């Protein structure tokens, strides 16, 4: 897996690990950005890992572009051959699928959708071969997801489901973007899930909402008092399907600043995962269940 480097203006260098997203390409990019961060290269001012790529901002007055490129190329071989083991977290996130708010929004924008006669969930279930919406939701929440990047909108995570490639849920974005998406919507576009950290425009299919804030610049939410963003690249997320009663009860706990998500520290091995995907996932889910 050879990384392609390109300069973007005078202060940025972009590294493309692969044109296709995979956990292997993500780990290579993460290893590279961790190596750059650990090296403390003079002149590097920002490091941004992404799905199968990364971007580095630098001060050309402190390091020449070609000198930085040489440093990165020297790190590339080590990143490609390093043992893909990550100390990370698994986070359980409650999700109210088939909620009234995303349903109302999708009805307002049906003329922009591939199938105006069905809901986003119905459409996505059908094109992915599921007999019912309930079967689709069970698959969506049944296996964990990997946070491949955080950004585009502040605090917004992109997530990649940890299953075989042929079982990954795929869904196109709307034909034309919406001008409205409820805050904390669980959306899906291509092979990625995303959680809308704020209300705004969007194009991903909408499946539900979480009651849990994931971004708080004021840092007043109990579990966001040390970091305004809940998610970090490399986190593992398990969606927990809930109904309206549990959604309302969780909101009350959050408003009283008593609730926080279940988070467990864990070690993830890409080698072990590739050897036994569902065995690895089962152990992760046992950990989140406290077993």
């Amino acid at each position: 897996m050879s990384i392609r480097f390109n300069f973007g203006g005078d202060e940025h260098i972009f590294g493309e690990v692969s044109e296709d997203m995979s956990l292997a390409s993500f780990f290579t990019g993460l290893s590279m950005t961790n190596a750059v961060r650990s090296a403390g290269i003079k002149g590097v001012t920002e490091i941004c890992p992404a799905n199968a790529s990364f971007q580095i901002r630098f001060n050309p007055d402190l390091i020449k572009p070609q000198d930085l490129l040489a440093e990165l190329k020297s790190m590339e071989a080590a990143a490609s051959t390093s043992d893909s083991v990550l100390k990370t977290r698994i986070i359980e996130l409650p999700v109210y699928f088939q909620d009234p708010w995303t349903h109302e929004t999708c009805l307002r924008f049906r003329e922009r959708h591939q199938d105006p006669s069905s809901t986003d969930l119905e459409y996505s279930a059908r094109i992915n071969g599921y007999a019912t919406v309930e079967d689709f939701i069970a698959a969506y929440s049944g296996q964990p997801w990997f946070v491949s990047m955080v950004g585009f909108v502040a605090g917004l995570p992109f997530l990649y489901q940890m299953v075989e490639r042929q079982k990954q849920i795929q869904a196109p974005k709307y034909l034309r973007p919406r001008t409205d998406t409820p805050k904390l919507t669980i959306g899906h576009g291509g092979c990625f899930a995303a959680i809308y950290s704020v209300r705004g425009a969007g194009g991903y299919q909408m499946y539900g909402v979480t009651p849990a804030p994931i971004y708080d610049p004021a840092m007043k939410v109990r579990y966001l008092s040390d970091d305004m963003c809940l998610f970090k690249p490399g986190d593992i997320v398990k969606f927990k399907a809930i109904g309206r009663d549990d959604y309302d009860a969780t909101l009350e706990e959050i408003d009283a600043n008593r609730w926080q998500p279940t988070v467990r520290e864990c070690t993830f091995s890409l080698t072990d995962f590739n050897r036994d995907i569902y065995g690895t996932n089962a152990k992760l889910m046992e950990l989140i269940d406290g077993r």
Side-chain angles (χ1 to χ4, degrees), residues 173-237:
K173 296 191 291 185
Y174 275 43
L175 296 175
R176 290 186 292 126
R178 299 179 303 273
T179 56
D180 190 23
T181 307
K183 181 180 179 179
L184 298 177
T185 288
I186 309 300
H188 197 100
C191 65
F192 290 103
I195 306 172
Y196 285 71
S197 53
V198 297
R199 182 178 182 178
Y204 277 20
Q205 308 287 333
M206 297 179 291
Y207 299 154
V209 293
T210 178
I214 63 170
Y215 170 66
D216 178 24
M219 301 173 72
K220 292 182 178 179
V221 173
R222 177 183 180 184
Y223 55 89
L224 298 176
S225 58
D226 294 326
D227 193 327
M228 67 178 68
C229 298
L230 174 59
F231 297 110
K232 299 176 178 63
D235 280 343
I236 297 169
V237 178

Side-chain angles (χ1 to χ4, degrees), residues 10-11 42-43 58-65:
D10 296 329
E11 298 182 355
K42 185 178 181 180
F58 62 96
N59 184 341
D61 292 332
L62 297 179
I63 184 169
K64 295 178 180 178

Side-chain angles (χ1 to χ4, degrees), residues 141-179:
S141 57
Q143 297 297 327
W145 297 73
F146 219 93
V147 177
S148 57
M149 67 173 284
V150 178
F152 185 72
V153 174
L156 184 153
F158 288 85
L159 306 100
Y160 182 80
Q161 196 169 32
M162 297 163 60
V163 295
E164 302 105 310
R165 180 65 65 91
Q166 64 269 25
K167 290 187 177 180
Q168 284 179 340
I169 289 168
Q170 300 272 348
K173 296 191 291 185
Y174 275 43
L175 296 175
R176 290 186 292 126
R178 299 179 303 273
T179 56

Side-chain angles (χ1 to χ4, degrees), residues 4 20 47 52 63 65 107 131 148 279:
R4 292 185 289 273
D20 298 317
I47 303 167
I63 184 169
L107 291 180
S148 57

